[in-house]
Amino acid sequence: RTWLLGLACSVGGVGAAPPQQLSVREQAAIAQPGAVAAFAVDPSVVDVSVDAGRVLLRGRRPGETIVTVILPAGVESIR
């Protein structure tokens, strides 16, 4: 799955519902069962962490970035 992150940070899947906007300090969670770790290419745009099968995002500043999610079977990108 691919998501678009821009800050306002957009989060939405390809072919899914329209992207959501994430404002500065706003938080969102994306279900990613089995996620081991996640990181943003540009961590100044969004804080990223993993907790109990969810990728947690918190907007830091306006911009766009890609988030990489490490799964047991491979890697996924959230754009």
Side-chain angles (χ1 to χ4, degrees):
R1 284 181 269 206
T2 301
W3 285 277
L4 182 64
L5 284 178
L7 260 256
C9 217
S10 305
V11 182
V14 170
Q20 297 176 330
Q21 294 294 313
L22 224 119
S23 299
V24 174
R25 291 188 296 275
E26 186 177 356
Q27 298 181 7
I30 299 170
Q32 283 285 3
V36 176
F39 61 91
V41 171
D42 183 353
S44 71
V45 173
V46 65
D47 285 325
V48 182
S49 61
V50 173
D51 182 44
R54 297 179 306 156
V55 176
L56 307 174
L57 308 169
R58 186 179 72 81
R60 296 190 69 194
R61 71 167 181 84
E64 292 183 9
T65 191
I66 296 172
V67 173
T68 300
V69 181
I70 310 301
L71 301 162
V75 175
E76 256 185 54
S77 292
I78 300 172
R79 300 163 38 115

